[in-house]
């Protein structure tokens, strides 16, 4: 682990390493910088994390370097926790995705879950299973860390610990744990929508699916992206921007009655919200904000990207008060309304209005193991 600085299967802490060097029968040796092996990887992560994110703050009392991190949330706050896998071959491909983007996306997924609850980030914990082939070829790992830590620095999220292990396959596997805080009893939840509420979404939809199609078809175009490309809405798949400021404003200003982030696709995430709130919902197709990149798709694929394309990481929320046109600089669009639940549990919960006709909307976004 990074914190503890131990790893499975063997366990070794930073302090025990120091003692071993200092108490041997031979005279102390000058410290040597290891360039390979798990401890070298841990050293790189530690150095990168220390350079990019604060080691301690009023809420993070102790970060990487001991057996546990120490956190002290503000009084009358609760802790929210989320964890997300980023698996090579499932969530990214080494031959198509720039390493910087893989790291950015790994953290962005967790931060987006915090945004959906209206939480402020407290700390991140990163566990990595690294293929032996990557322990020597540091380009992917260094790029991954740079991308993850650049986003962490922008949102002031310390990397406070984690774990490293040799991957049993030739796949890089990452798991990110994010902790955040919310004022007690105030977290935005999926379950608060009521009939008569209106539905809103931040930013634009379908851009991530459109860019993913482009990345898979033309990976060379994206190979030389730099950290400067990681800000702004230009790369919704490679560099999604978690809506933390919007989520916190929705909570603070008491605007949202329910909220979820659009990670699996609008149709699937709206279905989650409807189920949690025991309501139905109706979208108006003419109101849905299409990301400009969806213009590169034909009509059918454009609508599929907007309705079902995952990983936009926008916020989908309900409200029964007036909602501003933008929050924290992010456009907010009214896209439909919440209805009473269907009489039968088997009846569809979602419909969509298109040119005056109402169609049933099925959840067709991303679902693992389907
Ligand atoms: Mg989520």
């Amino acid at each position: 682990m990074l914190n503890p600085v131990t790893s499975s299967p063997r366990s070794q802490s930073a302090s025990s390493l120091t003692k071993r060097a200092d108490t041997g029968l031979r005279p102390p040796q000058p410290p040597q910088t290891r360039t390979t092996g798990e401890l070298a990887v841990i050293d790189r992560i530690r150095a990168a994390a220390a350079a990019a994110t604060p080691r301690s703050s009023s809420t993070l009392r102790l970060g990487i370097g001991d057996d546990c991190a120490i956190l002290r949330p503000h009084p009358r706050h609760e802790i929210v926790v989320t964890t997300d896998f980023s698996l090579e071959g499932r969530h990214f491909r080494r031959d198509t995705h720039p390493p910087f983007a893989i790291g950015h996306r790994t953290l962005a997924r967790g931060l987006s879950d915090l945004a959906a609850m209206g939480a402020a980030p407290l700390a991140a914990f990163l566990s990595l299973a690294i293929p032996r082939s990557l322990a020597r070829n540091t380009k992917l790992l260094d790029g991954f860390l740079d991308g993850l830590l650049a986003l962490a620095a922008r949102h002031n999220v310390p990397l406070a610990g984690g774990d490293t292990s040799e991957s049993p396959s030739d796949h890089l596997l990452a798991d990110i744990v994010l902790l955040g805080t919310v004022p007690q009893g105030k977290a935005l939840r999926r379950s608060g929508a009521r009939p008569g509420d209106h539905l809103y979404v931040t930013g634009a939809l379908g851009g991530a699916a459109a860019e993913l199609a482009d990345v898979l078809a033309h990976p060379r175009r994206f190979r030389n992206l730099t950290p400067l490309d990681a800000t702004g809405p230009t790369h919704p798949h490679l560099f999604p921007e978690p809506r933390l400021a919007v989520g916190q404003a929705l909570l603070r200003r008491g605007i949202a009655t329910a909220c979820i982030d659009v990670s699996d696709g609008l149709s699937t995430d709206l279905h989650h919200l409807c189920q949690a709130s025991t309501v139905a919902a109706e979208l108006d197709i003419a109101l849905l904000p299409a990301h400009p990149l969806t213009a590169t798709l034909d009509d059918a694929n454009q609508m599929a990207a907007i309705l079902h394309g995952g990983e936009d990481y926008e916020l989908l929320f309900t409200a029964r008060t007036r909602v501003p046109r933008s929050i924290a600089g992010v456009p907010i669009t009214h896209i439909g309304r919440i209805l009473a639940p269907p009489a039968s549990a088997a009846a569809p919960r979602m419909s969509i209005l298109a040119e005056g006709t109402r169609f049933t909307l099925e959840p067709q976004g991303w679902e693992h193991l389907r």
Side-chain angles (χ1 to χ4, degrees):
M1 280 183 85
L2 309 180
N3 126 39
V5 188
T6 57
S7 62
S8 48
R10 69 181 186 282
S11 192
Q12 203 153 40
S13 71
S15 54
S16 72
L17 283 177
T18 313
K19 275 185 214 143
R20 190 177 301 178
D22 290 344
T23 57
L25 295 175
R26 50 194 169 71
Q29 302 293 307
Q32 290 185 349
T33 305
R34 292 183 53 171
T35 55
T36 61
E38 184 192 9
L39 295 177
V41 170
I42 294 173
D43 283 346
R44 290 220 307 283
I45 296 173
R46 249 146 75 105
T53 61
R55 266 185 64 75
S56 66
S57 66
S58 62
T59 48
L60 176 71
R61 307 304 297 173
L62 185 63
I64 295 174
D66 211 310
D67 290 300
C68 292
I70 303 176
L71 305 169
R72 184 190 295 167
H74 294 304
R76 294 181 298 283
H77 278 64
E78 291 172 319
I79 291 182
V80 297
V81 186
T82 179
T83 175
D84 277 292
F85 273 136
S86 287
L87 309 180
E88 183 175 353
R90 178 58 54 191
H91 300 99
F92 66 90
R93 280 171 46 175
R94 214 186 294 180
D95 57 340
T96 54
H97 286 71
F100 194 86
I102 298 168
H104 177 110
R105 284 167 46 77
T106 295
L107 181 65
R109 301 178 63 202
L111 289 178
S112 181
D113 283 330
L114 293 187
M117 307 291 285
L122 188 58
F125 298 82
L126 173 69
S127 292
L128 285 172
I130 302 165
R132 177 165 286 261
S133 60
L134 287 185
R136 287 170 194 279
N137 169 12
T138 61
K139 200 168 157 232
L140 174 60
L141 198 57
D142 287 345
F144 173 94
L145 288 172
D146 287 348
L148 188 146
L149 292 169
L151 183 63
R154 271 205 280 132
H155 290 284
N156 203 25
V157 190
L159 180 61
D163 195 9
T164 58
S165 174
E166 182 174 332
S167 176
S169 72
D170 196 40
H171 288 148
L172 176 67
L173 311 173
D175 182 50
I176 191 93
V177 175
L178 264 297
L179 273 67
T181 61
V182 286
Q184 221 165 3
K186 297 280 195 240
L188 304 180
R189 297 170 67 167
R190 301 175 177 185
S191 54
R194 297 292 174 263
D197 288 2
H198 285 266
L199 263 172
Y200 300 84
V201 71
T202 60
L205 297 169
E211 185 176 45
L212 174 60
D214 204 16
V215 167
L216 295 180
H218 309 286
R220 280 197 198 153
R221 284 185 196 165
F222 300 91
R223 204 154 280 163
N224 297 320
L225 292 180
T226 72
L228 289 177
D229 299 299
T231 54
T234 322
H235 296 286
H237 170 72
L238 293 174
F239 301 113
E241 187 57 53
R243 301 302 192 190
L244 285 158
V246 180
Q248 289 166 45
L250 291 174
L251 183 153
R252 192 174 58 246
R253 293 155 69 174
I255 294 173
T257 52
C259 189
I260 186 171
D261 66 319
V262 184
S263 52
D264 296 331
L266 176 63
S267 62
T268 293
D269 290 313
L270 177 58
H271 191 249
H272 291 324
L273 187 146
C274 286
Q275 282 189 312
S277 294
T278 329
V279 294
E282 177 183 78
L283 296 176
D284 186 334
I285 206 165
L287 299 179
L288 298 177
H291 192 283
L293 282 182
T294 61
T296 60
L297 304 171
D298 63 36
D299 286 355
N301 282 326
Q302 181 181 33
M303 197 40 67
I306 294 166
L307 286 175
H308 314 302
E311 303 190 318
D312 281 318
Y313 298 113
E314 298 293 350
L315 296 183
L316 172 69
F317 66 94
T318 57
R320 61 188 73 130
T321 60
R322 200 183 129 326
V323 174
R325 293 163 102 88
S326 83
I327 297 175
V330 180
I332 308 291
T333 307
H334 174 234
I335 59 169
R337 60 202 183 103
I338 296 295
L339 307 172
S344 146
R349 287 190 179 274
M350 300 186 297
S351 55
I352 186 161
L353 285 172
E355 295 174 357
T357 306
R358 176 177 287 115
F359 298 89
T360 295
L361 178 65
E362 299 287 346
Q364 289 177 44
W366 181 255
E367 181 185 343
H368 287 279
L369 307 176
R370 183 164 63 178

